[in-house]
Amino acid sequence: MKLSVIVPVYNVEAYLEKCIESLVKQTLKDIEIILVNDGSTDNSLKIMNKYAKAYKNIIVIDKKNGGQGSARNLGIKK
């Protein structure tokens, strides 16, 4: 069974690495992490891309700002 975790991201560079680190350190082996950048204007996208290069189970989606709901829905579609 595969578990997908969708994380909407908007201008949270100060907290993002801690969030992603907690997800990649989970003991569950079959986990997919979908990070949805919702038009961040800080370094959030850069941080997300750094982790996506390091972990094959991380997917980054970049979109224009539309709110948490639209970011989650896009992650669900993925």
Coordinates of all heavy atoms in Angstrom, one line a residue:
M1 N 0.8 -1.2 0.0 CA 0.0 0.0 0.0 C 0.9 1.2 0.0 O 1.9 1.3 0.7 CB -0.9 0.0 1.2 CG -1.7 1.2 1.3 SD -3.1 1.1 2.5 CE -2.3 1.8 4.0
K2 N 0.5 2.2 -0.8 CA 1.3 3.4 -0.9 C 0.5 4.6 -0.2 O -0.7 4.7 -0.4 CB 1.6 3.8 -2.4 CG 2.5 5.0 -2.5 CD 2.8 5.2 -4.0 CE 4.2 5.7 -4.1 NZ 4.6 5.7 -5.5
L3 N 1.2 5.4 0.6 CA 0.6 6.5 1.2 C 1.1 7.8 0.5 O 2.3 7.9 0.3 CB 1.0 6.5 2.7 CG 0.6 7.8 3.5 CD1 -0.9 7.8 3.7 CD2 1.3 7.8 4.8
S4 N 0.2 8.6 0.2 CA 0.6 9.9 -0.4 C 0.3 11.0 0.6 O -0.8 11.1 1.1 CB -0.2 10.2 -1.7 OG 0.1 9.2 -2.7
V5 N 1.3 11.9 0.8 CA 1.1 13.0 1.7 C 1.2 14.3 0.8 O 2.2 14.5 0.1 CB 2.2 13.0 2.8 CG1 2.1 14.3 3.7 CG2 2.2 11.8 3.6
I6 N 0.2 15.1 0.9 CA 0.1 16.3 0.1 C 0.4 17.5 1.0 O -0.3 17.7 2.0 CB -1.2 16.5 -0.6 CG1 -1.5 15.3 -1.5 CG2 -1.3 17.8 -1.4 CD1 -2.9 15.2 -2.0
V7 N 1.4 18.3 0.7 CA 1.7 19.5 1.5 C 1.6 20.8 0.7 O 2.4 21.0 -0.2 CB 3.2 19.4 2.1 CG1 3.5 20.6 3.0 CG2 3.4 18.0 2.8
P8 N 0.5 21.5 0.9 CA 0.4 22.8 0.3 C 1.5 23.8 0.9 O 1.6 23.8 2.1 CB -1.0 23.3 0.6 CG -1.7 22.2 1.2 CD -0.7 21.3 1.7
V9 N 2.2 24.5 0.0 CA 3.3 25.4 0.5 C 3.1 26.8 0.0 O 2.9 27.0 -1.2 CB 4.6 24.8 0.0 CG1 5.7 25.8 0.4 CG2 4.9 23.4 0.5
Y10 N 3.1 27.7 0.9 CA 3.0 29.2 0.5 C 3.8 30.0 1.5 O 3.4 30.2 2.7 CB 1.6 29.7 0.5 CG 1.5 31.1 0.1 CD1 1.7 31.5 -1.3 CD2 1.3 32.1 1.0 CE1 1.7 32.8 -1.6 CE2 1.3 33.5 0.6 CZ 1.5 33.8 -0.7 OH 1.5 35.1 -1.1
N11 N 5.0 30.4 1.0 CA 5.9 31.3 1.8 C 6.1 30.8 3.2 O 5.9 31.5 4.2 CB 5.3 32.8 1.9 CG 5.3 33.5 0.5 OD1 6.1 33.0 -0.4 ND2 4.6 34.5 0.4
V12 N 6.6 29.6 3.3 CA 6.9 29.0 4.6 C 8.4 28.5 4.7 O 8.7 27.5 5.4 CB 6.0 27.9 5.0 CG1 4.6 28.4 5.3 CG2 6.0 26.8 3.9
E13 N 9.3 29.3 4.1 CA 10.7 28.8 4.0 C 11.3 28.6 5.4 O 12.1 27.7 5.6 CB 11.5 29.8 3.2 CG 11.7 31.2 3.8 CD 12.6 32.1 3.0 OE1 13.7 31.6 2.6 OE2 12.3 33.2 2.8
A14 N 10.8 29.3 6.4 CA 11.4 29.2 7.8 C 11.0 27.8 8.4 O 11.7 27.4 9.3 CB 10.9 30.3 8.7
Y15 N 9.9 27.2 7.9 CA 9.5 26.0 8.5 C 9.5 24.8 7.6 O 9.4 23.6 8.0 CB 8.0 26.1 9.0 CG 7.7 27.4 9.7 CD1 7.1 28.5 9.1 CD2 8.1 27.5 11.1 CE1 6.9 29.7 9.8 CE2 7.9 28.7 11.7 CZ 7.3 29.8 11.1 OH 7.1 30.9 11.8
L16 N 9.8 25.0 6.4 CA 9.6 24.0 5.3 C 10.6 22.8 5.5 O 10.2 21.7 5.4 CB 9.7 24.6 3.9 CG 9.4 23.7 2.8 CD1 8.0 23.1 2.9 CD2 9.5 24.5 1.5
E17 N 11.9 23.1 5.7 CA 12.8 22.0 5.9 C 12.5 21.1 7.0 O 12.6 19.9 6.9 CB 14.3 22.6 6.0 CG 14.7 23.2 4.7 CD 16.2 23.5 4.7 OE1 17.0 22.6 5.2 OE2 16.6 24.5 4.2
K18 N 12.1 21.7 8.2 CA 11.7 20.9 9.3 C 10.5 20.0 8.9 O 10.5 18.8 9.3 CB 11.3 21.7 10.5 CG 11.1 21.0 11.8 CD 10.9 21.9 12.9 CE 10.6 21.1 14.2 NZ 10.5 22.0 15.4
C19 N 9.5 20.5 8.2 CA 8.4 19.7 7.8 C 8.8 18.6 6.9 O 8.4 17.4 7.1 CB 7.4 20.7 7.0 SG 6.0 19.8 6.2
I20 N 9.6 18.9 5.9 CA 10.0 17.8 4.9 C 10.9 16.8 5.6 O 10.7 15.6 5.4 CB 10.8 18.5 3.7 CG1 9.8 19.4 2.9 CG2 11.3 17.4 2.8 CD1 10.5 20.2 1.8
E21 N 11.8 17.2 6.5 CA 12.6 16.3 7.2 C 11.8 15.3 8.0 O 12.1 14.1 8.1 CB 13.6 17.0 8.1 CG 14.8 17.7 7.4 CD 15.8 16.7 6.8 OE1 15.9 15.6 7.4 OE2 16.4 17.0 5.8
S22 N 10.7 15.8 8.7 CA 9.9 14.9 9.4 C 9.2 13.9 8.6 O 9.0 12.8 9.0 CB 8.9 15.7 10.3 OG 7.9 16.3 9.4
L23 N 8.9 14.3 7.3 CA 8.2 13.3 6.4 C 9.2 12.3 5.9 O 8.8 11.1 5.8 CB 7.6 14.1 5.3 CG 6.4 15.0 5.6 CD1 6.0 15.8 4.5 CD2 5.2 14.1 6.1
V24 N 10.4 12.7 5.5 CA 11.3 11.7 4.9 C 11.9 10.8 6.0 O 12.4 9.7 5.7 CB 12.5 12.4 4.2 CG1 11.9 13.2 3.0 CG2 13.3 13.3 5.0
K25 N 11.8 11.2 7.3 CA 12.3 10.3 8.3 C 11.2 9.3 8.9 O 11.5 8.6 9.8 CB 12.8 11.2 9.5 CG 14.1 11.9 9.2 CD 14.6 12.7 10.3 CE 15.8 13.5 9.9 NZ 16.3 14.4 11.0
Q26 N 10.1 9.3 8.3 CA 9.0 8.3 8.7 C 9.5 6.9 8.5 O 10.3 6.6 7.5 CB 7.7 8.6 7.9 CG 7.1 9.9 8.1 CD 6.6 10.0 9.6 OE1 6.0 9.2 10.1 NE2 7.0 11.2 10.1
T27 N 9.0 6.0 9.3 CA 9.5 4.6 9.2 C 8.7 3.9 8.0 O 9.2 2.8 7.6 CB 9.2 3.9 10.5 OG1 7.9 4.0 10.9 CG2 10.2 4.4 11.6
L28 N 7.6 4.4 7.6 CA 6.9 3.8 6.5 C 7.7 3.9 5.2 O 8.2 5.0 4.9 CB 5.5 4.6 6.3 CG 4.6 4.0 5.2 CD1 4.1 2.6 5.6 CD2 3.4 4.9 5.1
K29 N 7.9 2.8 4.6 CA 8.8 2.7 3.4 C 8.1 3.2 2.1 O 8.7 3.8 1.3 CB 9.3 1.3 3.2 CG 10.0 0.8 4.4 CD 11.3 1.5 4.6 CE 12.1 1.0 5.7 NZ 12.9 2.0 6.4
D30 N 6.8 2.9 1.9 CA 6.2 3.2 0.7 C 5.4 4.5 0.8 O 4.1 4.5 0.9 CB 5.3 2.1 0.3 CG 5.0 2.1 -1.2 OD1 5.6 2.9 -2.0 OD2 4.1 1.3 -1.7
I31 N 6.1 5.6 0.9 CA 5.4 6.9 1.1 C 5.8 7.9 -0.1 O 6.9 7.9 -0.5 CB 5.8 7.6 2.4 CG1 5.0 8.9 2.7 CG2 7.3 7.8 2.5 CD1 5.2 9.4 4.1
E32 N 4.8 8.6 -0.6 CA 5.0 9.6 -1.6 C 4.7 10.9 -1.1 O 3.7 11.1 -0.4 CB 4.0 9.2 -2.8 CG 4.0 10.3 -3.9 CD 2.9 9.9 -4.9 OE1 1.7 9.8 -4.5 OE2 3.2 9.9 -6.1
I33 N 5.6 11.9 -1.2 CA 5.4 13.2 -0.7 C 5.2 14.2 -1.8 O 6.1 14.3 -2.7 CB 6.7 13.6 0.2 CG1 6.9 12.6 1.3 CG2 6.5 15.0 0.7 CD1 8.3 12.7 2.0
I34 N 4.1 14.8 -1.9 CA 3.7 15.7 -2.9 C 3.7 17.1 -2.3 O 2.9 17.4 -1.5 CB 2.4 15.4 -3.6 CG1 2.3 14.0 -4.1 CG2 2.0 16.4 -4.7 CD1 1.0 13.5 -4.6
L35 N 4.7 17.9 -2.8 CA 4.8 19.3 -2.3 C 4.2 20.2 -3.4 O 4.7 20.2 -4.5 CB 6.3 19.6 -2.0 CG 7.0 18.7 -1.1 CD1 8.5 19.1 -1.0 CD2 6.4 18.8 0.3
V36 N 3.2 21.0 -3.0 CA 2.6 21.9 -4.0 C 2.9 23.3 -3.6 O 2.4 23.8 -2.6 CB 1.0 21.6 -4.0 CG1 0.4 22.5 -5.1 CG2 0.7 20.2 -4.3
N37 N 3.7 23.9 -4.4 CA 4.1 25.3 -4.2 C 2.9 26.2 -4.8 O 2.6 26.1 -6.0 CB 5.4 25.7 -5.0 CG 5.7 27.1 -4.7 OD1 5.7 27.6 -3.6 ND2 6.1 27.9 -5.8
D38 N 2.3 27.0 -3.9 CA 1.1 27.7 -4.3 C 1.5 29.2 -4.5 O 1.0 30.1 -3.9 CB 0.1 27.6 -3.2 CG -1.3 28.2 -3.6 OD1 -1.6 28.1 -4.8 OD2 -2.0 28.7 -2.7
G39 N 2.5 29.4 -5.4 CA 2.9 30.8 -5.8 C 3.7 31.5 -4.8 O 3.7 32.7 -4.7
S40 N 4.5 30.7 -4.0 CA 5.4 31.4 -3.0 C 6.3 32.4 -3.6 O 6.8 32.2 -4.8 CB 6.2 30.3 -2.3 OG 5.5 29.4 -1.6
T41 N 6.6 33.5 -2.9 CA 7.5 34.5 -3.3 C 8.8 34.5 -2.5 O 9.7 35.3 -2.8 CB 6.8 35.9 -3.2 OG1 6.4 36.1 -1.8 CG2 5.6 36.0 -4.1
D42 N 8.9 33.5 -1.6 CA 10.2 33.4 -0.8 C 11.0 32.2 -1.4 O 10.8 31.9 -2.6 CB 9.9 33.2 0.6 CG 9.1 31.9 0.9 OD1 8.8 31.2 0.0 OD2 8.8 31.6 2.1
N43 N 11.8 31.6 -0.7 CA 12.7 30.5 -1.2 C 12.1 29.1 -1.0 O 12.8 28.1 -1.1 CB 14.0 30.6 -0.5 CG 14.9 31.8 -0.9 OD1 15.0 32.0 -2.1 ND2 15.4 32.5 0.1
S44 N 10.8 29.1 -0.8 CA 10.1 27.8 -0.6 C 10.3 26.8 -1.8 O 10.7 25.7 -1.6 CB 8.6 27.9 -0.3 OG 8.4 28.6 0.9
L45 N 10.1 27.3 -3.0 CA 10.3 26.5 -4.2 C 11.7 25.9 -4.3 O 11.9 24.8 -4.6 CB 9.9 27.2 -5.4 CG 9.9 26.4 -6.7 CD1 9.0 25.2 -6.6 CD2 9.5 27.3 -7.9
K46 N 12.7 26.8 -4.0 CA 14.1 26.4 -4.1 C 14.4 25.2 -3.1 O 15.0 24.2 -3.4 CB 15.0 27.6 -3.8 CG 16.5 27.3 -3.9 CD 17.2 28.6 -3.6 CE 18.7 28.3 -3.6 NZ 19.5 29.5 -3.4
I47 N 13.8 25.4 -1.9 CA 14.0 24.3 -0.8 C 13.3 23.0 -1.3 O 13.9 21.9 -1.2 CB 13.4 24.8 0.5 CG1 14.3 26.0 1.0 CG2 13.4 23.7 1.5 CD1 13.6 26.7 2.2
M48 N 12.1 23.1 -1.8 CA 11.4 22.0 -2.3 C 12.1 21.2 -3.4 O 12.3 20.0 -3.4 CB 10.0 22.4 -2.8 CG 9.1 22.9 -1.7 SD 7.6 23.8 -2.2 CE 7.0 23.0 -3.6
N49 N 12.7 22.0 -4.3 CA 13.4 21.4 -5.4 C 14.7 20.7 -4.9 O 15.1 19.6 -5.4 CB 13.8 22.4 -6.5 CG 12.5 22.7 -7.3 OD1 11.7 21.9 -7.5 ND2 12.5 23.9 -7.8
K50 N 15.3 21.3 -3.9 CA 16.5 20.7 -3.3 C 16.2 19.3 -2.7 O 16.9 18.3 -3.0 CB 17.1 21.6 -2.2 CG 18.3 21.0 -1.5 CD 18.8 21.9 -0.3 CE 17.9 21.6 0.9 NZ 18.5 22.3 2.1
Y51 N 15.1 19.2 -2.0 CA 14.7 17.9 -1.5 C 14.3 16.9 -2.5 O 14.5 15.7 -2.4 CB 13.6 18.1 -0.4 CG 14.2 18.4 0.9 CD1 14.4 19.8 1.3 CD2 14.6 17.5 1.8 CE1 14.9 20.1 2.5 CE2 15.2 17.8 3.1 CZ 15.3 19.1 3.4 OH 15.9 19.5 4.6
A52 N 13.6 17.4 -3.6 CA 13.1 16.5 -4.7 C 14.3 15.9 -5.4 O 14.3 14.7 -5.8 CB 12.3 17.3 -5.6
K53 N 15.4 16.6 -5.5 CA 16.6 16.0 -6.1 C 17.3 15.0 -5.2 O 17.9 14.0 -5.7 CB 17.7 17.1 -6.4 CG 17.3 18.0 -7.5 CD 18.3 19.1 -7.8 CE 17.9 20.0 -8.9 NZ 18.8 21.2 -9.1
A54 N 17.1 15.1 -3.9 CA 17.8 14.2 -2.9 C 16.9 12.9 -2.7 O 17.5 11.9 -2.3 CB 18.1 14.9 -1.6
Y55 N 15.6 13.1 -2.8 CA 14.7 12.0 -2.5 C 13.8 11.7 -3.7 O 13.0 12.5 -4.1 CB 13.8 12.3 -1.3 CG 14.6 12.5 0.0 CD1 15.1 13.7 0.4 CD2 14.9 11.4 0.8 CE1 15.8 13.9 1.5 CE2 15.7 11.6 2.0 CZ 16.1 12.8 2.3 OH 16.8 13.0 3.5
K56 N 13.8 10.4 -4.2 CA 13.1 10.1 -5.4 C 11.6 10.0 -5.1 O 10.8 10.0 -6.0 CB 13.6 8.7 -5.9 CG 13.4 7.6 -5.0 CD 13.9 6.3 -5.6 CE 13.8 5.2 -4.6 NZ 13.0 4.1 -5.0
N57 N 11.2 9.9 -3.8 CA 9.7 9.8 -3.5 C 9.1 11.2 -3.3 O 7.9 11.3 -2.9 CB 9.5 8.9 -2.3 CG 10.2 9.5 -1.0 OD1 11.2 10.1 -1.1 ND2 9.6 9.3 0.1
I58 N 9.8 12.3 -3.6 CA 9.3 13.6 -3.4 C 8.9 14.2 -4.8 O 9.8 14.2 -5.7 CB 10.2 14.6 -2.7 CG1 10.4 14.1 -1.2 CG2 9.7 16.0 -2.7 CD1 11.3 15.0 -0.4
I59 N 7.7 14.7 -5.0 CA 7.2 15.3 -6.2 C 6.9 16.7 -5.9 O 6.3 17.0 -4.9 CB 6.0 14.6 -6.7 CG1 6.3 13.1 -7.0 CG2 5.4 15.3 -7.9 CD1 5.0 12.3 -7.3
V60 N 7.4 17.6 -6.7 CA 7.2 19.1 -6.6 C 6.2 19.5 -7.7 O 6.5 19.3 -8.9 CB 8.5 19.9 -6.6 CG1 8.2 21.4 -6.6 CG2 9.3 19.5 -5.4
I61 N 5.2 20.2 -7.3 CA 4.3 20.9 -8.3 C 4.3 22.4 -8.0 O 4.2 22.8 -6.9 CB 2.8 20.3 -8.1 CG1 2.8 18.8 -8.3 CG2 1.9 21.0 -9.1 CD1 1.4 18.2 -8.0
D62 N 4.5 23.1 -9.1 CA 4.5 24.6 -8.9 C 3.3 25.2 -9.6 O 3.1 24.9 -10.8 CB 5.9 25.1 -9.5 CG 6.1 26.6 -9.3 OD1 5.5 27.1 -8.3 OD2 6.8 27.2 -10.1
K63 N 2.6 26.0 -9.0 CA 1.4 26.6 -9.5 C 1.2 28.1 -9.1 O 1.9 28.5 -8.1 CB 0.1 25.8 -9.2 CG -0.2 25.8 -7.7 CD -1.4 25.1 -7.3 CE -2.7 25.7 -7.4 NZ -2.9 27.1 -6.9
K64 N 0.4 28.8 -9.8 CA 0.1 30.2 -9.4 C -0.7 30.1 -8.1 O -1.4 29.1 -7.8 CB -0.7 30.9 -10.4 CG 0.0 31.2 -11.7 CD -0.8 32.0 -12.7 CE -0.1 32.3 -13.9 NZ -0.9 33.1 -14.9
N65 N -0.7 31.2 -7.3 CA -1.4 31.2 -6.0 C -2.9 31.1 -6.3 O -3.5 31.8 -7.1 CB -1.1 32.5 -5.3 CG -1.7 32.6 -3.9 OD1 -2.8 33.1 -3.8 ND2 -1.1 32.0 -3.0
G66 N -3.5 30.1 -5.5 CA -4.9 29.9 -5.6 C -5.5 29.5 -4.3 O -6.7 29.2 -4.2
G67 N -4.7 29.4 -3.3 CA -5.2 29.0 -2.0 C -4.9 27.5 -1.6 O -4.6 26.7 -2.5
Q68 N -5.0 27.2 -0.4 CA -4.8 25.9 0.1 C -5.6 24.8 -0.5 O -5.2 23.7 -0.9 CB -5.0 25.8 1.6 CG -3.8 26.3 2.4 CD -4.1 26.0 3.9 OE1 -4.9 25.2 4.3 NE2 -3.3 26.7 4.7
G69 N -6.9 25.1 -0.7 CA -7.8 24.2 -1.3 C -7.4 23.8 -2.7 O -7.4 22.6 -3.1
S70 N -7.1 24.8 -3.5 CA -6.7 24.5 -4.9 C -5.4 23.7 -5.0 O -5.1 22.9 -5.8 CB -6.6 25.8 -5.8 OG -5.5 26.6 -5.4
A71 N -4.4 24.0 -4.0 CA -3.2 23.3 -4.0 C -3.4 21.9 -3.6 O -2.8 21.0 -4.2 CB -2.2 24.0 -3.0
R72 N -4.2 21.6 -2.6 CA -4.5 20.2 -2.2 C -5.2 19.5 -3.3 O -4.9 18.3 -3.6 CB -5.4 20.2 -0.9 CG -4.7 20.3 0.3 CD -5.6 19.9 1.5 NE -6.6 20.9 1.6 CZ -6.6 22.0 2.3 NH1 -5.5 22.3 3.0 NH2 -7.6 22.8 2.4
N73 N -6.2 20.1 -4.0 CA -6.9 19.4 -5.1 C -5.9 19.1 -6.2 O -6.1 18.0 -6.8 CB -8.0 20.3 -5.6 CG -9.2 20.4 -4.6 OD1 -9.3 19.5 -3.7 ND2 -10.0 21.4 -4.7
L74 N -5.0 20.0 -6.5 CA -4.0 19.6 -7.6 C -3.1 18.5 -7.1 O -2.8 17.6 -7.9 CB -3.2 20.9 -7.9 CG -2.2 20.7 -9.0 CD1 -2.9 20.4 -10.3 CD2 -1.4 22.0 -9.2
G75 N -2.8 18.4 -5.9 CA -2.0 17.3 -5.4 C -2.8 16.0 -5.4 O -2.2 15.0 -5.8
I76 N -4.0 16.0 -5.1 CA -4.9 14.9 -5.2 C -5.0 14.3 -6.7 O -4.9 13.2 -6.9 CB -6.3 15.1 -4.7 CG1 -6.2 15.3 -3.2 CG2 -7.3 14.0 -5.0 CD1 -7.5 15.8 -2.5
K77 N -5.1 15.3 -7.6 CA -5.1 14.9 -9.0 C -3.8 14.1 -9.4 O -3.8 13.2 -10.3 CB -5.3 16.1 -9.9 CG -6.8 16.6 -9.9 CD -6.9 17.8 -10.8 CE -8.3 18.4 -10.6 NZ -8.5 19.5 -11.4
K78 N -2.7 14.6 -8.9 CA -1.4 14.0 -9.2 C -1.4 12.6 -8.7 O -0.9 11.7 -9.2 CB -0.3 14.8 -8.6 CG 1.1 14.3 -8.8 CD 1.4 14.2 -10.3 CE 2.8 13.6 -10.4 NZ 3.1 13.1 -11.7

